[in-house]
Amino acid sequence: MICIVGNLPVLQVGRYQVTGYSTQWIRRAIEQAAVDAQQDGFAFTEDVYEGVIHYLEHKCSLRLLKLEDLYKRLAHMLRRIGYGSIANALVPIAPPITISLERAARDAGDGFELAFFKELQDELHLLKSTGADEVYFSHVEECIHVLKKTDTWNDSCKELEADILDWLAKVGTQPKRQGYRIRANLKQLV
């Protein structure tokens, strides 16, 4: 994908590239940094947020922007306007990321459910370390077909789907099935 002025660049979050994202997570990061810096009433949250969005939409010449580079620029902006304490408290938050469970199942190998859960656990911890706190899992049924080595949906497939949701709940992601995908929150990931 190319970056056209007026559009947001593709974000690199860990090994994932995110497009078509909303920007509310940037505002949340600024607000949280202000709270952590004991400046709850930071009056310029909206101005800083709008400045970042303007930069992303109109000034950023990069087609691909690493999340950590975006936060370096944000911290620099906060320091330049005299809010170094907020800049120092800034912790990266990533936009929601969609990952394919089918890819995780193929990486683990056909029929290797234990390897799949280990692969998934490693992936979730890696995503959390890059600032991701919301993940959407796509290709749920395709994943189950790979793991069960079947093209037909059956009771065994339903059981594995329930096992995946149970496992996600046990590791603290509060999974919710939303149509063809699963939404998970990584804030309390164990």
Side-chain angles (χ1 to χ4, degrees), residues 13 22 26 29 32 55 68 80 103 118 126 155 159 179:
V13 181
S22 77
I26 298 171
Q32 187 59 50
Y55 165 76
E68 55 269 18
R80 295 232 15 214
R103 187 200 49 77
K118 174 67 174 137
L126 180 64
D155 289 340
E159 288 174 20

Side-chain angles (χ1 to χ4, degrees), residues 49 53 59 91 180:
Y49 168 74
I53 301 309
K59 303 289 185 188
V91 175
Y180 64 93

Side-chain angles (χ1 to χ4, degrees), residues 3-17:
C3 177
I4 301 169
V5 174
N7 289 329
L8 298 169
V10 176
L11 277 181
Q12 182 78 37
V13 181
R15 67 181 183 146
Y16 294 96
Q17 294 179 354

Side-chain angles (χ1 to χ4, degrees), residues 3-112:
C3 177
I4 301 169
V5 174
N7 289 329
L8 298 169
V10 176
L11 277 181
Q12 182 78 37
V13 181
R15 67 181 183 146
Y16 294 96
Q17 294 179 354
V18 184
T19 62
Y21 49 89
S22 77
T23 57
Q24 295 308 308
W25 50 274
I26 298 171
R27 180 182 284 120
R28 277 196 349 256
I30 297 166
E31 291 169 346
Q32 187 59 50
V35 169
D36 292 347
Q38 298 175 345
Q39 295 192 27
D40 299 2
F42 180 54
F44 301 108
T45 298
E46 195 62 30
D47 297 317
V48 172
Y49 168 74
E50 290 295 330
V52 171
I53 301 309
H54 184 267
Y55 165 76
L56 290 173
E57 289 180 340
H58 302 288
K59 303 289 185 188
C60 182
S61 61
L62 301 172
R63 293 181 180 151
L64 179 68
L65 178 61
K66 292 182 178 179
L67 184 69
E68 55 269 18
D69 291 342
L70 173 62
Y71 278 95
K72 285 178 189 173
R73 292 173 191 263
L74 178 54
H76 177 73
M77 177 191 291
L78 287 163
R79 284 187 186 91
R80 295 232 15 214
I81 64 171
Y83 288 95
S85 61
I86 295 176
N88 294 337
L90 196 59
V91 175
I93 297 175
I97 297 172
T98 300
I99 62 176
S100 170
L101 282 181
E102 179 184 22
R103 187 200 49 77
R106 291 196 188 283
D107 288 351
D110 294 351
F112 293 103

Side-chain angles (χ1 to χ4, degrees), residues 94-160:
I97 297 172
T98 300
I99 62 176
S100 170
L101 282 181
E102 179 184 22
R103 187 200 49 77
R106 291 196 188 283
D107 288 351
D110 294 351
F112 293 103
E113 292 176 27
L114 290 176
F116 165 76
F117 286 112
K118 174 67 174 137
E119 175 84 18
L120 191 54
Q121 183 174 27
D122 292 346
E123 192 69 32
L124 292 176
H125 284 287
L126 180 64
L127 284 167
K128 185 175 181 179
S129 74
T130 63
D133 63 5
E134 187 173 2
V135 175
Y136 290 92
F137 298 108
S138 64
H139 302 105
V140 178
E141 289 186 17
E142 293 85 347
C143 160
I144 293 166
H145 287 301
V146 168
L147 291 172
K148 288 296 184 181
K149 296 181 182 181
T150 182
D151 292 329
T152 309
W153 191 259
N154 55 39
D155 289 340
S156 178
C157 293
K158 289 178 191 174
E159 288 174 20
L160 181 55

